[in-house]
Amino acid sequence: MRLLVGLGNPGARYALNRHNIGFMAVDAIARRYGFAPFRAKFAGALAEGTIDGARVMALKPETYMNASGDSVGAAARFYKIAPEEIAVIHDDIDLIEGKLRVKRGGGDGGHNGLRSIDAAIGPDYLRVRLGVGHPGMKSLVEAYVLQNFLPEEKLWLEPLIAAVAEAAPLLVADDAPGFMSKVAHILKPNKPRPKPADKEASAED
């Protein structure tokens, strides 16, 4: 069993915030793979489904960001899921908009949700970092992540969320490099090289 966690804050007020990109990603994964409806459990919203034959639990903690570990820890203990079988999807201000990086373990990077989860289950889970950009000054960070994405940001946000959902089987299979490569390929597919016949035809024209 795998536990996919999306971080965010509950309620309509926060739904479109930059800080809620983790919720958006988990919602997209649940929709794409036909998960059961989310239900209230473990101080969060939980949905169950399968991805490539693997049983997967999708969790959106509703404790508010700073106490995300309370929800994640409760789910992990109940289902006896080890940190190595958990992936947490979250916003990252240290990555430019639309960038994705995945790593296991490490520090919390100043992210309060990760800090709470580290305290609850330790640091040895996968962190799926979705770049939302930086406002430029540390004093502006809190207000920045609690602002809604701007309309023009949807040009990179929606393709990124869709790519994360499409590549989710690799994440569930614990293939972080493959997952990152797949997302990158979806977002920037290689242009097909012209065939020799095409070159000849062009030359004749």
Side-chain angles (χ1 to χ4, degrees):
M1 186 190 297
R2 297 283 174 171
L3 178 62
L4 295 183
V5 179
L7 296 188
N9 287 310
R13 174 183 174 185
Y14 302 100
L16 299 178
N17 287 183
R18 296 183 179 95
H19 225 13
N20 274 44
I21 195 171
F23 275 15
M24 298 174 195
V26 164
D27 281 338
I29 291 170
R31 283 194 304 270
R32 183 180 180 94
Y33 299 97
F35 280 29
F38 281 93
R39 66 189 193 277
K41 199 166 186 180
F42 307 120
L46 184 78
E48 182 175 352
T50 58
I51 299 178
D52 275 9
R55 186 183 178 197
V56 178
M57 311 302 291
L59 177 66
K60 297 184 293 182
E62 295 187 333
T63 53
Y64 289 95
M65 187 67 77
N66 293 3
S68 298
D70 294 349
S71 176
V72 176
R77 287 189 296 273
F78 182 85
Y79 290 111
K80 297 180 172 59
I81 301 175
E84 293 79 10
E85 298 170 319
I86 298 173
V88 176
I89 306 173
H90 64 92
D91 61 303
D92 195 312
I93 59 171
D94 293 325
L95 292 177
I96 64 171
E97 295 93 335
K99 279 288 185 183
L100 176 146
R101 291 288 183 271
V102 182
K103 68 173 183 176
R104 185 178 298 283
D108 57 47
H111 194 290
N112 290 332
L114 297 183
R115 183 178 298 120
S116 176
I117 294 171
D118 286 355
I121 65 170
D124 297 327
Y125 54 91
L126 277 181
R127 298 128 193 270
V128 181
R129 306 162 59 204
L130 304 183
V132 298
H134 196 288
M137 296 177 59
K138 186 176 181 180
S139 60
L140 300 177
V141 166
E142 183 175 353
Y144 176 77
V145 297
L146 293 176
Q147 288 172 351
N148 288 352
F149 283 104
L150 300 174
E152 56 266 31
E153 290 179 300
K154 292 182 179 179
L155 294 175
W156 62 259
L157 174 64
E158 291 175 356
L160 174 63
I161 295 299
V164 168
E166 183 176 339
L170 292 164
L171 181 64
V172 170
D174 203 25
D175 182 1
F179 172 72
M180 287 189 284
S181 295
K182 177 76 170 178
V183 170
H185 177 73
I186 294 167
L187 295 176
K188 292 184 178 180
N190 294 326
K191 293 182 179 179
R193 295 180 179 179
K195 297 178 182 177
D198 294 337
K199 289 183 179 178
E200 291 171 9
S202 298
E204 291 172 1
D205 294 342

